[in-house]
């Protein structure tokens, strides 16, 4: 078992070296002199942040993305541990993780096109609802995790394929960069706090409660988005 795990990490390291080598071959654009424009850029940046702070739609959308990445952090960290307590085979646990990733890779391009044709806000809310049921399913079920994992991947795909374009549409042209930067930062915060909060809950109450708590986070994020996200427009 130890040799198998070592070989797996060795394979990941080789893949990383290949990716790094490939990136180094990509031509880079010449540096742009911006020192003389620093003061102007700072004023624009401050104005953009203030505008972003006042835009409840963008903040609500960022919160939705953060909540679903919070759940993903719990999923990828604690589902293998939960599987061990249920004496699930290792290959089945790996299939759970893979089914989620494969579902995203297959569905996201199509859902991105779908979000262009229909209103993006209802699509985001639909994905959050599906993700909520998935996290409850992880907490309550002892089987069918592969199916629930695939559905969770679908919910992530539904939300993230529409959230970034929705933020872009709601931001002013001058604040576009700040809006997208805030989206990325808040998503990272959600992804980071998921394992931390899940670890505390798993230690004090139990593993399944980490997933139940995640569903509550989704409900809060979805409720905020429903109140501020122009779902009917």
């Amino acid at each position: 078992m130890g040799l198998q795990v070592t070989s797996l990490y060795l394979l990941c390291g080789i893949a990383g070296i290949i990716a790094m080598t490939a990136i180094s071959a990509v031509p880079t654009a010449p540096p742009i002199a911006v020192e003389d424009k620093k003061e102007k850029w700072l004023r624009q940046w401050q104005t953009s942040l203030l505008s972003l702070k006042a835009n409840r739609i963008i903040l609500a959308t960022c919160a939705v993305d953060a909540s679903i990445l919070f759940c993903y952090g719990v999923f990828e960290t604690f589902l293998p541990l939960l599987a061990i307590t249920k004496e699930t085979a290792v290959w089945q646990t790996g299939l759970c993780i893979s089914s989620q990733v494969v579902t995203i890779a297959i569905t996201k391009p199509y859902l991105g096109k779908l979000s262009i044709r229909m209103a993006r806000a209802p699509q985001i809310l639909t994905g959050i609802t599906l993700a909520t049921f998935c996290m409850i399913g992880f907490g309550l079920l002892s089987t069918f995790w592969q199916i629930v994992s695939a559905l969770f991947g679908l919910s992530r795909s539904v939300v993230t394929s529409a959230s970034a374009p929705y933020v872009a549409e709601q931001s002013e042209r001058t604040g576009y960069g700040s809006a997208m930067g805030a989206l990325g930062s808040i998503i990272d915060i959600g992804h980071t706090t998921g394992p931390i909060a899940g670890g505390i809950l798993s230690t004090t109450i139990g593993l399944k409660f980490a997933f139940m708590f995640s569903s509550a986070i989704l409900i809060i994020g979805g409720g905020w988005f429903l109140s501020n996200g122009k779902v009917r427009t």
Side-chain angles (χ1 to χ4, degrees):
M1 183 67 178
L3 180 61
Q4 292 175 346
V5 173
T6 302
S7 300
L8 179 61
Y9 279 102
L10 181 62
L11 182 62
C12 292
I14 293 172
I17 292 173
I18 294 173
M20 182 178 64
T21 304
I23 290 175
S24 64
V26 177
T28 57
I32 301 173
V34 293
E35 194 63 35
D36 54 336
K37 299 180 180 179
K38 183 176 179 181
E39 187 176 342
K40 180 181 178 182
W41 177 85
L42 236 113
R43 286 199 304 269
Q44 291 177 342
W45 180 72
Q46 291 172 345
T47 303
S48 298
L49 282 183
L50 290 173
S51 175
L52 177 61
K53 184 179 179 181
N55 195 321
R56 294 186 301 173
I57 300 174
I58 293 179
L59 291 178
T61 309
C62 292
V64 163
D65 257 11
S67 64
I68 202 164
L69 264 293
F70 178 98
C71 293
Y72 177 64
V74 171
F75 166 82
E76 66 178 349
T77 305
F78 298 105
L79 184 66
L81 298 178
L82 187 61
I84 291 173
T85 65
K86 303 294 183 181
E87 298 183 350
T88 304
V90 175
W91 70 268
Q92 290 180 327
T93 305
L95 187 59
C96 286
I97 306 296
S98 298
S99 64
Q100 189 252 161
V101 176
V102 170
T103 302
I104 292 175
I106 294 174
T107 61
K108 198 165 186 178
Y110 299 101
L111 290 169
K113 292 180 181 179
L114 180 63
S115 72
I116 298 174
R117 297 172 187 164
M118 63 178 291
R120 289 192 171 101
Q123 178 175 330
I124 294 170
L125 193 62
T126 300
I128 284 293
T129 303
L130 178 59
T132 302
F133 283 110
C134 289
M135 298 309 290
I136 293 173
F138 286 129
L140 297 181
L141 298 176
S142 298
T143 56
F144 305 110
W145 283 349
Q146 292 85 359
I147 298 174
V148 179
S149 295
L151 290 175
F152 180 59
L154 177 62
S155 70
R156 282 187 61 204
S157 188
V158 170
V159 172
T160 56
S161 62
S163 58
Y166 190 61
V167 167
E169 290 172 354
Q170 299 299 324
S171 61
E172 299 177 3
R173 177 175 292 273
T174 55
Y176 174 80
S178 296
M180 299 309 295
L183 177 63
S185 297
I186 295 175
I187 286 174
D188 288 339
I189 292 171
H191 194 187
T192 303
T193 54
I196 297 172
I200 295 172
L201 289 170
S202 298
T203 303
T204 56
I205 305 177
L207 276 168
K208 68 178 182 179
F209 290 100
F211 294 91
M212 304 303 289
F213 178 76
S214 298
S215 66
I217 293 294
L218 286 169
I219 292 172
I220 293 171
W224 187 11
F225 182 76
L226 183 63
S227 302
N228 299 282
K230 292 185 178 180
V231 175
R232 294 184 179 84
T233 62

